[in-house]
Amino acid sequence: ADRAGAIRRLLTWYLHTAASAARVINPQRRHVSLDAPALQCEPLPFDDYDQALHWLVTERANLVAAVVCAGRHDAHEIAWKLPITLFDLFNLRSYYTDWIESVATGLASARHLQDRAAEGWLLNQLAIAHQASGNPSKAIPCLRQALVIRRAIGDRRGEAMALGNLGNSYSEAGQLPESMACLQDALLFFRETAQRLE
């Protein structure tokens, strides 16, 4: 019991500290919701972008290991939220293998929890990772699945994001008519809501 509690506290600390860094690096991006950390968990604060990114880069191996550990120890909420939180680290530093593997672990945990919103979010991020690594053909099926989920749960903003990303992936794959259709549908939503594609 002591060991399990210690693992949970460590994983919680990594999630909250990574979230603290992510909010400094990219405050405009959509971030995961977190409950207040337990009294035994005091996440690190960050003063600026460089400090936050430096911590993430330095701790990358531990953060990736924490995702795996969370999945193995039934800390499934941490296992899916941590890869989402590490988006900027993976994207800015092109850690594509870590990105894809971490999101795949998170996706399994989201499915274990039957959390459809988390599943759609992770599928979208998995697609972005595949596209960034030069594999738009792997991104397209992920985005199609994400689109089905986001429509089913009534997540209009998520649907528009998936459409925009799907349009980009179709374009990269040379499927221009499909790309245009997706991007036009996404544009309608963003014009209606005055939001930007992130």
Side-chain angles (χ1 to χ4, degrees):
D2 288 345
R3 182 175 183 274
I7 289 171
R8 173 70 69 156
R9 286 191 299 275
L10 179 63
L11 294 173
T12 300
W13 181 84
Y14 267 118
L15 174 60
H16 280 264
T17 301
S20 175
R23 287 186 174 95
V24 170
I25 291 169
N26 193 344
Q28 303 304 319
R29 185 169 63 80
R30 182 181 174 196
H31 295 277
V32 297
S33 298
L34 298 176
D35 294 330
L39 292 176
Q40 306 96 325
C41 175
E42 295 183 17
L44 297 175
F46 298 97
D47 295 326
D48 57 38
Y49 178 101
D50 290 338
Q51 184 188 42
L53 185 57
H54 176 75
W55 182 85
L56 288 171
V57 171
T58 301
E59 290 290 334
R60 175 172 62 105
N62 291 327
L63 289 161
V64 170
V67 174
V68 175
C69 182
R72 287 181 179 163
H73 288 86
D74 294 325
H76 294 294
E77 188 168 341
I78 294 172
W80 81 255
K81 287 185 174 182
L82 190 50
I84 295 289
T85 301
L86 298 176
F87 175 90
D88 295 300
L89 167 66
F90 295 144
N91 189 41
L92 291 170
R93 289 294 183 261
S94 303
Y95 296 135
Y96 300 130
T97 300
D98 287 344
W99 193 359
I100 291 166
E101 290 175 359
S102 295
V103 174
T105 298
L107 185 58
S109 284
R111 287 172 172 161
H112 177 84
L113 295 171
Q114 299 181 0
D115 187 331
R116 297 285 277 164
E119 183 181 358
W121 197 350
L122 286 153
L123 282 164
N124 190 68
Q125 189 164 129
L126 183 59
I128 293 170
H130 281 309
Q131 186 171 337
S133 67
N135 291 301
S137 62
K138 290 185 177 180
I140 290 168
C142 295
L143 288 164
R144 286 177 175 161
Q145 292 176 60
L147 190 57
V148 169
I149 291 169
R150 287 179 159 179
R151 283 177 173 159
I153 64 176
D155 179 2
R156 275 289 280 134
R157 182 174 181 270
E159 178 184 344
M161 297 296 292
L163 280 167
N165 290 326
L166 184 55
N168 290 336
S169 292
Y170 276 135
S171 178
E172 291 290 326
Q175 297 175 247
L176 299 184
E178 293 88 345
S179 172
M180 183 66 72
C182 289
L183 292 172
Q184 286 176 335
D185 287 346
L187 183 60
L188 287 175
F189 170 81
F190 290 114
R191 282 181 172 161
E192 288 170 5
T193 60
Q195 293 191 45
R196 294 185 307 163
L197 179 62
E198 297 171 2

